[in-house]
Short mmCIF file of all heavy atoms in Angstrom, two decimals:
data_model
loop_
_atom_site.label_atom_id
_atom_site.label_comp_id
_atom_site.label_asym_id
_atom_site.label_seq_id
_atom_site.Cartn_x
_atom_site.Cartn_y
_atom_site.Cartn_z
N ALA A 10 86.63 81.44 99.89
CA ALA A 10 87.79 81.47 99.00
C ALA A 10 87.39 81.70 97.55
O ALA A 10 88.14 82.27 96.77
CB ALA A 10 88.57 80.16 99.13
N GLN A 11 86.17 81.27 97.18
CA GLN A 11 85.70 81.49 95.83
C GLN A 11 85.55 82.98 95.55
O GLN A 11 85.81 83.45 94.45
CB GLN A 11 84.37 80.77 95.60
CG GLN A 11 84.48 79.25 95.57
CD GLN A 11 83.13 78.59 95.37
OE1 GLN A 11 82.19 78.88 96.12
NE2 GLN A 11 83.04 77.73 94.40
N VAL A 12 85.11 83.71 96.56
CA VAL A 12 84.96 85.15 96.40
C VAL A 12 86.32 85.80 96.25
O VAL A 12 86.49 86.73 95.44
CB VAL A 12 84.20 85.74 97.60
CG1 VAL A 12 83.95 87.23 97.39
CG2 VAL A 12 82.90 85.00 97.82
N VAL A 13 87.30 85.34 97.02
CA VAL A 13 88.65 85.90 96.92
C VAL A 13 89.19 85.70 95.52
O VAL A 13 89.72 86.63 94.88
CB VAL A 13 89.57 85.24 97.96
CG1 VAL A 13 91.01 85.75 97.78
CG2 VAL A 13 89.09 85.53 99.37
N VAL A 14 89.06 84.48 94.97
CA VAL A 14 89.55 84.20 93.63
C VAL A 14 88.83 85.05 92.61
O VAL A 14 89.45 85.66 91.71
CB VAL A 14 89.38 82.71 93.30
CG1 VAL A 14 89.74 82.42 91.85
CG2 VAL A 14 90.23 81.86 94.23
N SER A 15 87.50 85.15 92.72
CA SER A 15 86.73 85.92 91.78
C SER A 15 87.06 87.40 91.84
O SER A 15 87.12 88.10 90.81
CB SER A 15 85.23 85.72 92.04
OG SER A 15 84.88 84.36 91.93
N ALA A 16 87.29 87.91 93.05
CA ALA A 16 87.59 89.33 93.21
C ALA A 16 88.94 89.68 92.60
O ALA A 16 89.08 90.70 91.91
CB ALA A 16 87.57 89.71 94.70
N PHE A 17 89.95 88.83 92.82
CA PHE A 17 91.25 89.08 92.22
C PHE A 17 91.16 88.98 90.69
O PHE A 17 91.82 89.73 89.98
CB PHE A 17 92.31 88.12 92.76
CG PHE A 17 92.94 88.60 94.02
CD1 PHE A 17 92.47 88.22 95.26
CD2 PHE A 17 94.01 89.48 93.98
CE1 PHE A 17 93.04 88.65 96.43
CE2 PHE A 17 94.60 89.93 95.16
CZ PHE A 17 94.11 89.53 96.37
N GLY A 18 90.38 88.03 90.20
CA GLY A 18 90.18 87.92 88.77
C GLY A 18 89.52 89.16 88.18
O GLY A 18 89.89 89.66 87.11
N ALA A 19 88.54 89.70 88.91
CA ALA A 19 87.85 90.93 88.47
C ALA A 19 88.82 92.10 88.45
O ALA A 19 88.78 92.95 87.55
CB ALA A 19 86.67 91.22 89.37
N ALA A 20 89.72 92.18 89.43
CA ALA A 20 90.70 93.27 89.47
C ALA A 20 91.65 93.18 88.29
O ALA A 20 92.03 94.20 87.69
CB ALA A 20 91.49 93.23 90.78
N VAL A 21 92.05 91.97 87.94
CA VAL A 21 92.92 91.78 86.77
C VAL A 21 92.22 92.23 85.50
O VAL A 21 92.79 92.90 84.65
CB VAL A 21 93.36 90.29 86.65
CG1 VAL A 21 94.06 90.06 85.31
CG2 VAL A 21 94.28 89.91 87.79
N LEU A 22 90.94 91.88 85.36
CA LEU A 22 90.18 92.29 84.19
C LEU A 22 90.04 93.81 84.12
O LEU A 22 90.17 94.40 83.05
CB LEU A 22 88.80 91.64 84.21
CG LEU A 22 88.75 90.13 84.00
CD1 LEU A 22 87.33 89.61 84.12
CD2 LEU A 22 89.34 89.76 82.63
N LEU A 23 89.78 94.44 85.26
CA LEU A 23 89.68 95.88 85.31
C LEU A 23 91.00 96.54 84.92
O LEU A 23 91.04 97.48 84.10
CB LEU A 23 89.27 96.34 86.72
CG LEU A 23 89.25 97.85 86.95
CD1 LEU A 23 88.25 98.54 86.04
CD2 LEU A 23 88.95 98.16 88.42
N GLY A 24 92.08 96.03 85.49
CA GLY A 24 93.40 96.58 85.16
C GLY A 24 93.74 96.39 83.69
O GLY A 24 94.31 97.28 83.05
N THR A 25 93.38 95.24 83.15
CA THR A 25 93.64 94.98 81.74
C THR A 25 92.88 95.97 80.86
O THR A 25 93.45 96.50 79.89
CB THR A 25 93.19 93.54 81.37
OG1 THR A 25 93.93 92.61 82.15
CG2 THR A 25 93.42 93.26 79.90
N GLY A 26 91.64 96.25 81.22
CA GLY A 26 90.86 97.21 80.45
C GLY A 26 91.47 98.60 80.48
O GLY A 26 91.55 99.28 79.44
N LEU A 27 91.92 99.03 81.65
CA LEU A 27 92.51 100.37 81.77
C LEU A 27 93.85 100.47 81.05
O LEU A 27 94.14 101.47 80.39
CB LEU A 27 92.69 100.74 83.25
CG LEU A 27 91.40 100.91 84.05
CD1 LEU A 27 91.71 101.14 85.53
CD2 LEU A 27 90.59 102.10 83.51
N LEU A 28 94.65 99.42 81.15
CA LEU A 28 95.96 99.43 80.49
C LEU A 28 95.85 99.24 78.97
O LEU A 28 96.82 99.48 78.25
CB LEU A 28 96.86 98.36 81.08
CG LEU A 28 97.30 98.57 82.53
CD1 LEU A 28 98.12 97.38 83.03
CD2 LEU A 28 98.11 99.86 82.68
N SER A 29 94.71 98.80 78.52
CA SER A 29 94.49 98.62 77.08
C SER A 29 94.07 99.89 76.37
O SER A 29 93.99 99.91 75.14
CB SER A 29 93.45 97.52 76.84
OG SER A 29 93.89 96.27 77.32
N THR A 30 93.80 100.96 77.12
CA THR A 30 93.40 102.21 76.50
C THR A 30 94.63 102.95 75.97
O THR A 30 95.74 102.79 76.49
CB THR A 30 92.69 103.12 77.52
OG1 THR A 30 93.60 103.43 78.57
CG2 THR A 30 91.47 102.41 78.12
N PRO A 31 94.46 103.78 74.94
CA PRO A 31 95.59 104.53 74.40
C PRO A 31 96.22 105.49 75.42
O PRO A 31 97.39 105.84 75.28
CB PRO A 31 94.96 105.31 73.24
CG PRO A 31 93.74 104.54 72.87
CD PRO A 31 93.24 103.97 74.15
N TYR A 32 95.46 105.89 76.44
CA TYR A 32 95.98 106.82 77.44
C TYR A 32 97.04 106.16 78.32
O TYR A 32 97.81 106.87 79.00
CB TYR A 32 94.85 107.33 78.33
CG TYR A 32 93.70 107.96 77.57
CD1 TYR A 32 92.52 107.27 77.40
CD2 TYR A 32 93.84 109.24 77.03
CE1 TYR A 32 91.47 107.85 76.71
CE2 TYR A 32 92.79 109.83 76.34
CZ TYR A 32 91.62 109.13 76.16
OH TYR A 32 90.58 109.69 75.47
N ALA A 33 97.12 104.85 78.32
CA ALA A 33 98.01 104.15 79.22
C ALA A 33 99.44 104.02 78.68
O ALA A 33 100.35 103.65 79.44
CB ALA A 33 97.46 102.76 79.54
N THR A 34 99.65 104.29 77.40
CA THR A 34 100.98 104.13 76.82
C THR A 34 101.58 105.47 76.45
O THR A 34 100.87 106.44 76.17
CB THR A 34 100.91 103.26 75.55
OG1 THR A 34 100.08 103.89 74.56
CG2 THR A 34 100.34 101.88 75.87
N THR A 35 102.90 105.54 76.43
CA THR A 35 103.60 106.78 76.08
C THR A 35 103.43 107.12 74.60
O THR A 35 103.46 108.29 74.21
CB THR A 35 105.09 106.67 76.40
OG1 THR A 35 105.63 105.52 75.75
CG2 THR A 35 105.31 106.55 77.90
N SER A 36 103.26 106.11 73.76
CA SER A 36 103.11 106.32 72.32
C SER A 36 101.71 106.76 71.93
O SER A 36 101.49 107.30 70.84
CB SER A 36 103.46 105.04 71.57
OG SER A 36 102.54 104.00 71.90
N GLY A 37 100.73 106.56 72.82
CA GLY A 37 99.37 106.88 72.50
C GLY A 37 98.65 105.79 71.74
O GLY A 37 97.46 105.91 71.42
N ASP A 38 99.36 104.68 71.45
CA ASP A 38 98.77 103.54 70.78
C ASP A 38 98.24 102.55 71.81
O ASP A 38 98.72 102.50 72.95
CB ASP A 38 99.78 102.84 69.88
CG ASP A 38 100.30 103.76 68.77
OD1 ASP A 38 99.51 104.60 68.29
OD2 ASP A 38 101.50 103.64 68.43
N GLN A 39 97.28 101.74 71.40
CA GLN A 39 96.73 100.74 72.31
C GLN A 39 97.76 99.65 72.56
O GLN A 39 98.39 99.14 71.62
CB GLN A 39 95.47 100.14 71.71
CG GLN A 39 94.72 99.24 72.66
CD GLN A 39 93.37 98.82 72.11
OE1 GLN A 39 92.98 99.27 71.03
NE2 GLN A 39 92.66 97.97 72.82
N ALA A 40 97.96 99.29 73.82
CA ALA A 40 98.92 98.26 74.16
C ALA A 40 98.43 96.90 73.69
O ALA A 40 97.23 96.67 73.53
CB ALA A 40 99.15 98.23 75.67
N ARG A 41 99.38 96.00 73.44
CA ARG A 41 99.01 94.62 73.11
C ARG A 41 98.20 94.03 74.26
O ARG A 41 98.49 94.26 75.43
CB ARG A 41 100.25 93.76 72.88
CG ARG A 41 100.94 93.91 71.56
CD ARG A 41 101.85 92.71 71.33
NE ARG A 41 102.58 92.30 72.52
CZ ARG A 41 103.05 91.07 72.73
NH1 ARG A 41 102.84 90.12 71.81
NH2 ARG A 41 103.73 90.76 73.82
N LEU A 42 97.18 93.26 73.91
CA LEU A 42 96.33 92.68 74.94
C LEU A 42 97.15 91.82 75.90
O LEU A 42 96.95 91.86 77.11
CB LEU A 42 95.22 91.85 74.29
CG LEU A 42 94.25 91.14 75.26
CD1 LEU A 42 93.54 92.16 76.13
CD2 LEU A 42 93.24 90.29 74.48
N LEU A 43 98.09 91.04 75.35
CA LEU A 43 98.89 90.17 76.21
C LEU A 43 99.72 90.99 77.19
O LEU A 43 99.85 90.63 78.37
CB LEU A 43 99.80 89.29 75.36
CG LEU A 43 100.68 88.29 76.13
CD1 LEU A 43 99.81 87.33 76.93
CD2 LEU A 43 101.59 87.53 75.19
N ASP A 44 100.31 92.10 76.73
CA ASP A 44 101.09 92.95 77.62
C ASP A 44 100.22 93.57 78.72
O ASP A 44 100.64 93.68 79.87
CB ASP A 44 101.78 94.07 76.83
CG ASP A 44 102.85 93.54 75.89
OD1 ASP A 44 103.43 92.48 76.18
OD2 ASP A 44 103.11 94.20 74.85
N ALA A 45 98.99 93.96 78.35
CA ALA A 45 98.09 94.55 79.32
C ALA A 45 97.66 93.51 80.37
O ALA A 45 97.65 93.79 81.58
CB ALA A 45 96.86 95.11 78.62
N VAL A 46 97.34 92.29 79.91
CA VAL A 46 96.93 91.25 80.85
C VAL A 46 98.10 90.87 81.75
O VAL A 46 97.93 90.73 82.98
CB VAL A 46 96.46 89.99 80.07
CG1 VAL A 46 96.19 88.85 81.04
CG2 VAL A 46 95.20 90.31 79.28
N PHE A 47 99.28 90.71 81.18
CA PHE A 47 100.46 90.31 81.96
C PHE A 47 100.78 91.36 83.01
O PHE A 47 101.00 91.04 84.18
CB PHE A 47 101.64 90.10 81.03
CG PHE A 47 102.80 89.38 81.67
CD1 PHE A 47 102.97 88.02 81.47
CD2 PHE A 47 103.71 90.04 82.48
CE1 PHE A 47 104.03 87.33 82.05
CE2 PHE A 47 104.77 89.37 83.07
CZ PHE A 47 104.93 88.02 82.88
N THR A 48 100.79 92.63 82.61
CA THR A 48 101.14 93.70 83.54
C THR A 48 100.09 93.84 84.64
O THR A 48 100.42 94.04 85.81
CB THR A 48 101.29 95.03 82.79
OG1 THR A 48 102.27 94.89 81.75
CG2 THR A 48 101.73 96.15 83.73
N ALA A 49 98.81 93.75 84.25
CA ALA A 49 97.74 93.85 85.24
C ALA A 49 97.82 92.72 86.26
O ALA A 49 97.68 92.93 87.47
CB ALA A 49 96.38 93.86 84.56
#
Side-chain angles (χ1 to χ4, degrees):
Q11 290 179 308
V12 183
V13 175
V14 174
S15 301
F17 274 94
V21 170
L22 291 177
L23 174 62
T25 300
L27 293 175
L28 292 176
S29 296
T30 63
Y32 305 104
T34 62
T35 54
S36 64
D38 299 325
Q39 188 172 356
R41 282 197 318 156
L42 179 60
L43 182 60
D44 292 332
V46 173
F47 194 98
T48 303

